[in-house]
Amino acid sequence: GKYLEEQLLITMRLLPGLDEDERLVPVLDNLSKGYISSEFQGFQDGGEQADSEVNAGNVKQFEKYFPACARRLADGLDEHHHLRYTGRQQFTLFLKGIGMGPNESLKFWQRMFTSGPGAMTVEKFNKEYKYNFRHSYGLEGARINYKPWSCTQILSKPKPNKQESHGCPYRDLHSESLTTLLRKMGMKDDGNLQKVLELSDSREYQAACTKVFEVLNSATIQENIGKGLSVMEAPITHPNDYFNRGVLYEKRLEEKTG
């Protein structure tokens, strides 16, 4: 068992170099499923679940609810019309977690990979990538229902290199790049931004992410409290929890005022 574990770790380190060999994807996915921790369970307070109705055509409208890790993947995909293996996995499962079904997911990825200057052809996408996305939804191979990655899982993966967008921005980006990303998300140059950078430097990545959520959603959170609605006190430990909290707080207010 120990030998196999060592070999698996070696293989995982080599994975970026084997990035485009899709034949290995199902094998490695099956091996890694034994190492999954703290899977996303949705809300714990009475089981409220954000109903996002996300599809290939409207996903851009939901980016305001994306945590920094998902926003960075979305930006990388926009810029390069491509994400490498780990980024594809991380973002596909995040989108699956926010409610994008398998057909919409395939439409979304095909559109993103095949449109824009220098993008690949639809034929190349279908031949080399289609299987991978169907596999993430359990529609190919061993038909495993993969869960969106938690912060712990994201932090356990190899760090991204310059061509990659996966990982945790609070850990992986230098303060200048992180500042640029956070400004894009709506953070202002003030003490709050400074606090997020300090938390990142202290390796308190989840605290940094939770702080960003609280700052960007402060008005909605205050309105929820003002209307006697409970808000989650626990720190964010999952990208999909970040998304769901944002959607839930806004949806409640719409229902109250509606």
Side-chain angles (χ1 to χ4, degrees), residues 135-146:
H135 187 265
S136 294
Y137 277 83
L139 299 173
E140 298 284 1
R143 299 181 185 269
I144 294 152
N145 182 24
Y146 295 101

Side-chain angles (χ1 to χ4, degrees), residues 5-244:
E5 197 168 319
E6 283 166 4
Q7 293 306 306
L8 178 63
L9 287 170
I10 291 164
T11 308
M12 291 308 281
R13 284 190 206 106
L14 291 172
L15 189 58
L18 306 170
D19 179 51
E20 304 307 335
D21 192 342
E22 295 293 345
R23 292 166 303 175
L24 290 169
V25 171
V27 181
L28 291 164
D29 277 351
N30 286 340
L31 281 171
S32 67
K33 81 174 192 295
Y35 293 81
I36 288 172
S37 63
S38 60
E39 289 177 349
F40 178 57
Q41 300 298 340
F43 286 99
Q44 303 304 316
D45 61 343
E48 285 178 282
Q49 189 70 30
D51 177 18
S52 55
E53 294 154 5
V54 179
N55 61 51
N58 71 6
V59 67
K60 278 269 172 227
Q61 296 165 30
F62 289 91
E63 279 188 3
K64 63 178 179 174
Y65 304 116
F66 283 16
C69 55
R71 183 59 190 266
R72 185 165 181 240
L73 285 160
D75 289 352
L77 185 54
D78 277 341
E79 189 183 342
H80 303 294
H81 320 294
H82 188 265
L83 286 177
R84 296 184 74 179
Y85 173 70
T86 310
R88 294 198 299 271
Q89 259 198 319
Q90 185 177 333
F91 200 34
T92 301
L93 295 175
F94 170 79
L95 293 173
K96 179 182 179 182
I98 69 173
M100 190 183 276
N103 294 334
E104 291 299 319
S105 177
L106 206 54
K107 257 191 245 175
F108 169 76
W109 286 101
Q110 187 192 78
R111 183 181 301 162
M112 297 307 289
F113 271 37
T114 62
S115 56
M120 69 181 67
T121 62
V122 172
E123 290 73 26
K124 181 178 168 70
F125 175 85
N126 286 336
K127 188 178 167 202
E128 297 181 21
Y129 296 94
K130 189 175 178 178
Y131 179 96
N132 190 194
F133 296 115
R134 283 176 53 80
H135 187 265
S136 294
Y137 277 83
L139 299 173
E140 298 284 1
R143 299 181 185 269
I144 294 152
N145 182 24
Y146 295 101
K147 298 283 193 291
W149 291 354
S150 66
C151 300
T152 311
Q153 283 171 273
I154 289 167
L155 292 165
S156 75
K157 308 283 175 188
K159 288 188 180 186
N161 65 30
K162 278 182 183 168
Q163 285 79 47
E164 296 174 315
S165 308
H166 68 265
C168 171
Y170 302 104
R171 177 194 65 179
D172 300 328
L173 295 181
H174 294 300
S175 57
E176 297 81 18
S177 303
L178 181 56
T179 300
T180 302
L181 176 63
L182 293 171
R183 280 184 191 138
K184 252 193 203 175
M185 289 170 67
M187 292 284 287
K188 295 184 169 55
D189 284 316
D190 58 14
N192 286 320
L193 182 59
Q194 203 48 48
K195 178 69 177 162
V196 171
L197 296 175
E198 283 166 18
L199 286 166
S200 301
D201 284 342
S202 312
R203 300 183 178 182
E204 294 181 57
Y205 311 125
Q206 290 169 332
C209 186
T210 306
K211 179 74 178 168
V212 168
F213 179 85
E214 287 167 355
V215 171
L216 295 181
N217 294 277
S218 59
T220 320
I221 289 167
Q222 288 311 312
E223 274 192 77
N224 269 266
I225 292 166
K227 288 184 163 47
L229 298 161
S230 64
V231 295
M232 306 273 284
E233 297 288 336
I236 287 166
T237 59
H238 200 298
N240 289 80
D241 183 28
Y242 183 110
F243 179 90
N244 275 3

